[in-house]
Amino acid sequence: MVEEELKEYLSLTRNSRRAFEEASRIFPGGVNSAIQFYDPYPIYVTKGEGSKVWDLDGNVYRDFCMAYGAAVAGHRNPAIVEAIRSVAENVGTLLGFPTASAIGLAKEIMRRFPGVEMIRFTNSGTEATMYAVRVARAVTGRKKVIKMEGAYHGAHDYLLISDKPAKYVLMGSASKPASVPDSAGTPEEVAGLTLVARFNDLDSVERLLKENENEVAALITEPVQTNSGLIPPDDGYLRELRRLADYYNVLLIFDEVKTGFNAASGPAYADFGVEPDLVTMGKVVGGGTPLAAFGGRAEYMEEVTPLGRAVHYGTYNANPLSIAAGYAALTKVHNEATFRRRASLSAELGKRLREAVEEAGITAHVMSYGAMGAIYFGLSEQPKDFREAYRADKRAWRRWWLGMISRGVIPYAGAWFEEWFVSAMHEGADVEMYVDAAEEVLKRIKT
Ligand SMILES: Cc1ncc(COP(=O)(O)O)c(C=O)c1O
């Protein structure tokens, strides 16, 4: 019964509850991003350090959410704190003119992202995918885009379609997924331009390309689908997507906002030897500050204003503060050795969780990939797409979520489809804490 976990949670988080009550009179739902809300109310956090965060009640948590994979340098990583301090004291946080420091970070990114010849900085992954789609439309003169069911690419109308349909029946048939707007206020006309395929299902992609020949501007996907748990591509799947995009003259966009530096030491696509035409990146590239980017082949990026006609603006774009934090993150924290260490801790966590699941005698599938991982309650096999992932037991997940938080571990972000992240500042002891808490909670789920 989830009531037990709920009782524990309520008794440990009284100050958060008070903050929530006040915040709710000011912010809808008491939060400034809907994903931060979970029932009955979120913990309100006061600070972070390394792998830990503290809440208003003085509880300390091992954090495996790490701001949805954005803060994986570690909270208050000294290299990033120093970079921010120095730029605030000596440069200024926002100057409104281009700075040469942005060139340095762009080069660091381009060195690691094969096929990226030019980039533009934005402030969020949402903006990055929105502009990438705009560029693809401007380049091709076509309106439609294809995305994968269950994939999240940000909150704009172009792509917030069939991200997390409220009910299974709304998804349409398996052979022809529906384009379901996730948000009220999305015009039908706009939703109709976003066609939905299924990850790892090449037929669903090819059918859309055929039926909409010469109308599709871009095919956007993550190389490893996240926000649906964690779904790796089948062998040869990405290569075949590349072939289909070339055959139908459609731009292939890889969204690396979450997978970049988390699923692999750089972009996940590099591990599969398949290059996109355009790529979006975010989270890690800003070292935990608001920074993201879109980039790709020069022939397409030259379509961006003032060279071309695809408009890209932003008061805060490439602000010196985020650029400095991103540069410190990429040059001082996120190298091959750091990634190997993160990935090995994450693999260890995955292995120990699988053992704990078995020991507790429950059905759950644990997936670890790079420095990330996911748990699907009620599934005994790895799902191949969002529909399969959606069958996961959400009630068991809720017990897990509240039970883990009450034991001082944030197991990942507060939704069944989220992933854990191991940061550069996590250690073996953090994994031990996670496993100890999980052993207790999983046994309870059994009963
Ligand atoms: C794959 C992916 N793309 C885009 C976004 C949007 O990024 P942001 O939250 O910075 O707008 C996210 C956010 O989690 C994401 O996971």
PDB file of all heavy atoms in Angstrom, residues 148-160:
ATOM      1  N   MET A 148       9.510  10.411 -32.686  1.00  0.00           N
ATOM      2  CA  MET A 148       9.171   9.096 -32.123  1.00  0.00           C
ATOM      3  C   MET A 148       8.180   9.243 -30.962  1.00  0.00           C
ATOM      4  O   MET A 148       8.312  10.147 -30.139  1.00  0.00           O
ATOM      5  CB  MET A 148      10.424   8.383 -31.603  1.00  0.00           C
ATOM      6  CG  MET A 148      11.490   8.192 -32.646  1.00  0.00           C
ATOM      7  SD  MET A 148      10.900   7.222 -34.050  1.00  0.00           S
ATOM      8  CE  MET A 148      12.069   7.748 -35.292  1.00  0.00           C
ATOM      9  N   GLU A 149       7.254   8.316 -30.898  1.00  0.00           N
ATOM     10  CA  GLU A 149       6.289   8.296 -29.807  1.00  0.00           C
ATOM     11  C   GLU A 149       7.028   8.211 -28.464  1.00  0.00           C
ATOM     12  O   GLU A 149       7.974   7.429 -28.327  1.00  0.00           O
ATOM     13  CB  GLU A 149       5.389   7.075 -29.980  1.00  0.00           C
ATOM     14  CG  GLU A 149       4.145   7.099 -29.147  1.00  0.00           C
ATOM     15  CD  GLU A 149       3.167   6.038 -29.635  1.00  0.00           C
ATOM     16  OE1 GLU A 149       3.548   4.848 -29.667  1.00  0.00           O
ATOM     17  OE2 GLU A 149       2.040   6.392 -29.967  1.00  0.00           O
ATOM     18  N   GLY A 150       6.563   9.006 -27.508  1.00  0.00           N
ATOM     19  CA  GLY A 150       7.151   8.953 -26.165  1.00  0.00           C
ATOM     20  C   GLY A 150       8.406   9.790 -26.003  1.00  0.00           C
ATOM     21  O   GLY A 150       8.886   9.986 -24.891  1.00  0.00           O
ATOM     22  N   ALA A 151       8.937  10.292 -27.120  1.00  0.00           N
ATOM     23  CA  ALA A 151      10.187  11.068 -27.024  1.00  0.00           C
ATOM     24  C   ALA A 151       9.865  12.512 -26.659  1.00  0.00           C
ATOM     25  O   ALA A 151       8.944  13.103 -27.225  1.00  0.00           O
ATOM     26  CB  ALA A 151      10.941  11.024 -28.347  1.00  0.00           C
ATOM     27  N   TYR A 152      10.633  13.050 -25.728  1.00  0.00           N
ATOM     28  CA  TYR A 152      10.484  14.450 -25.329  1.00  0.00           C
ATOM     29  C   TYR A 152      11.609  15.255 -25.958  1.00  0.00           C
ATOM     30  O   TYR A 152      12.783  14.893 -25.834  1.00  0.00           O
ATOM     31  CB  TYR A 152      10.542  14.573 -23.800  1.00  0.00           C
ATOM     32  CG  TYR A 152      10.401  15.998 -23.307  1.00  0.00           C
ATOM     33  CD1 TYR A 152       9.221  16.706 -23.508  1.00  0.00           C
ATOM     34  CD2 TYR A 152      11.453  16.633 -22.652  1.00  0.00           C
ATOM     35  CE1 TYR A 152       9.093  18.019 -23.065  1.00  0.00           C
ATOM     36  CE2 TYR A 152      11.322  17.944 -22.191  1.00  0.00           C
ATOM     37  CZ  TYR A 152      10.146  18.629 -22.403  1.00  0.00           C
ATOM     38  OH  TYR A 152      10.016  19.923 -21.966  1.00  0.00           O
ATOM     39  N   HIS A 153      11.241  16.327 -26.648  1.00  0.00           N
ATOM     40  CA  HIS A 153      12.265  17.187 -27.251  1.00  0.00           C
ATOM     41  C   HIS A 153      12.101  18.641 -26.807  1.00  0.00           C
ATOM     42  O   HIS A 153      12.585  19.542 -27.482  1.00  0.00           O
ATOM     43  CB  HIS A 153      12.179  17.118 -28.783  1.00  0.00           C
ATOM     44  CG  HIS A 153      12.430  15.766 -29.358  1.00  0.00           C
ATOM     45  ND1 HIS A 153      13.680  15.161 -29.341  1.00  0.00           N
ATOM     46  CD2 HIS A 153      11.606  14.871 -29.966  1.00  0.00           C
ATOM     47  CE1 HIS A 153      13.607  13.975 -29.924  1.00  0.00           C
ATOM     48  NE2 HIS A 153      12.366  13.759 -30.300  1.00  0.00           N
ATOM     49  N   GLY A 154      11.390  18.861 -25.693  1.00  0.00           N
ATOM     50  CA  GLY A 154      11.151  20.226 -25.254  1.00  0.00           C
ATOM     51  C   GLY A 154       9.664  20.533 -25.343  1.00  0.00           C
ATOM     52  O   GLY A 154       8.875  19.739 -25.859  1.00  0.00           O
ATOM     53  N   ALA A 155       9.288  21.729 -24.838  1.00  0.00           N
ATOM     54  CA  ALA A 155       7.865  22.007 -24.589  1.00  0.00           C
ATOM     55  C   ALA A 155       7.194  22.851 -25.662  1.00  0.00           C
ATOM     56  O   ALA A 155       6.102  23.360 -25.449  1.00  0.00           O
ATOM     57  CB  ALA A 155       7.726  22.673 -23.221  1.00  0.00           C
ATOM     58  N   HIS A 156       7.835  23.035 -26.832  1.00  0.00           N
ATOM     59  CA  HIS A 156       7.194  23.864 -27.871  1.00  0.00           C
ATOM     60  C   HIS A 156       6.223  23.051 -28.727  1.00  0.00           C
ATOM     61  O   HIS A 156       6.302  21.821 -28.793  1.00  0.00           O
ATOM     62  CB  HIS A 156       8.250  24.541 -28.749  1.00  0.00           C
ATOM     63  CG  HIS A 156       9.278  23.600 -29.297  1.00  0.00           C
ATOM     64  ND1 HIS A 156       9.034  22.794 -30.374  1.00  0.00           N
ATOM     65  CD2 HIS A 156      10.547  23.323 -28.899  1.00  0.00           C
ATOM     66  CE1 HIS A 156      10.106  22.066 -30.629  1.00  0.00           C
ATOM     67  NE2 HIS A 156      11.034  22.362 -29.742  1.00  0.00           N
ATOM     68  N   ASP A 157       5.327  23.778 -29.402  1.00  0.00           N
ATOM     69  CA  ASP A 157       4.250  23.133 -30.165  1.00  0.00           C
ATOM     70  C   ASP A 157       4.770  22.199 -31.260  1.00  0.00           C
ATOM     71  O   ASP A 157       4.094  21.226 -31.598  1.00  0.00           O
ATOM     72  CB  ASP A 157       3.355  24.196 -30.843  1.00  0.00           C
ATOM     73  CG  ASP A 157       2.497  24.959 -29.848  1.00  0.00           C
ATOM     74  OD1 ASP A 157       2.560  24.640 -28.655  1.00  0.00           O
ATOM     75  OD2 ASP A 157       1.788  25.883 -30.281  1.00  0.00           O
ATOM     76  N   TYR A 158       5.919  22.506 -31.841  1.00  0.00           N
ATOM     77  CA  TYR A 158       6.400  21.672 -32.959  1.00  0.00           C
ATOM     78  C   TYR A 158       6.557  20.214 -32.540  1.00  0.00           C
ATOM     79  O   TYR A 158       6.320  19.312 -33.326  1.00  0.00           O
ATOM     80  CB  TYR A 158       7.796  22.097 -33.439  1.00  0.00           C
ATOM     81  CG  TYR A 158       7.984  23.456 -34.020  1.00  0.00           C
ATOM     82  CD1 TYR A 158       9.276  23.905 -34.304  1.00  0.00           C
ATOM     83  CD2 TYR A 158       6.921  24.309 -34.307  1.00  0.00           C
ATOM     84  CE1 TYR A 158       9.507  25.145 -34.855  1.00  0.00           C
ATOM     85  CE2 TYR A 158       7.153  25.564 -34.859  1.00  0.00           C
ATOM     86  CZ  TYR A 158       8.451  25.977 -35.115  1.00  0.00           C
ATOM     87  OH  TYR A 158       8.687  27.201 -35.645  1.00  0.00           O
ATOM     88  N   LEU A 159       7.042  19.994 -31.320  1.00  0.00           N
ATOM     89  CA  LEU A 159       7.450  18.624 -30.963  1.00  0.00           C
ATOM     90  C   LEU A 159       6.803  18.077 -29.697  1.00  0.00           C
ATOM     91  O   LEU A 159       7.048  16.915 -29.347  1.00  0.00           O
ATOM     92  CB  LEU A 159       8.987  18.549 -30.826  1.00  0.00           C
ATOM     93  CG  LEU A 159       9.771  18.799 -32.121  1.00  0.00           C
ATOM     94  CD1 LEU A 159      11.270  18.888 -31.840  1.00  0.00           C
ATOM     95  CD2 LEU A 159       9.504  17.718 -33.165  1.00  0.00           C
ATOM     96  N   LEU A 160       6.003  18.879 -28.998  1.00  0.00           N
ATOM     97  CA  LEU A 160       5.346  18.349 -27.794  1.00  0.00           C
ATOM     98  C   LEU A 160       4.071  17.607 -28.222  1.00  0.00           C
ATOM     99  O   LEU A 160       2.951  17.970 -27.870  1.00  0.00           O
ATOM    100  CB  LEU A 160       5.024  19.454 -26.784  1.00  0.00           C
ATOM    101  CG  LEU A 160       4.646  18.940 -25.389  1.00  0.00           C
ATOM    102  CD1 LEU A 160       5.808  18.233 -24.727  1.00  0.00           C
ATOM    103  CD2 LEU A 160       4.156  20.062 -24.498  1.00  0.00           C
TER     104      LEU A 160
END
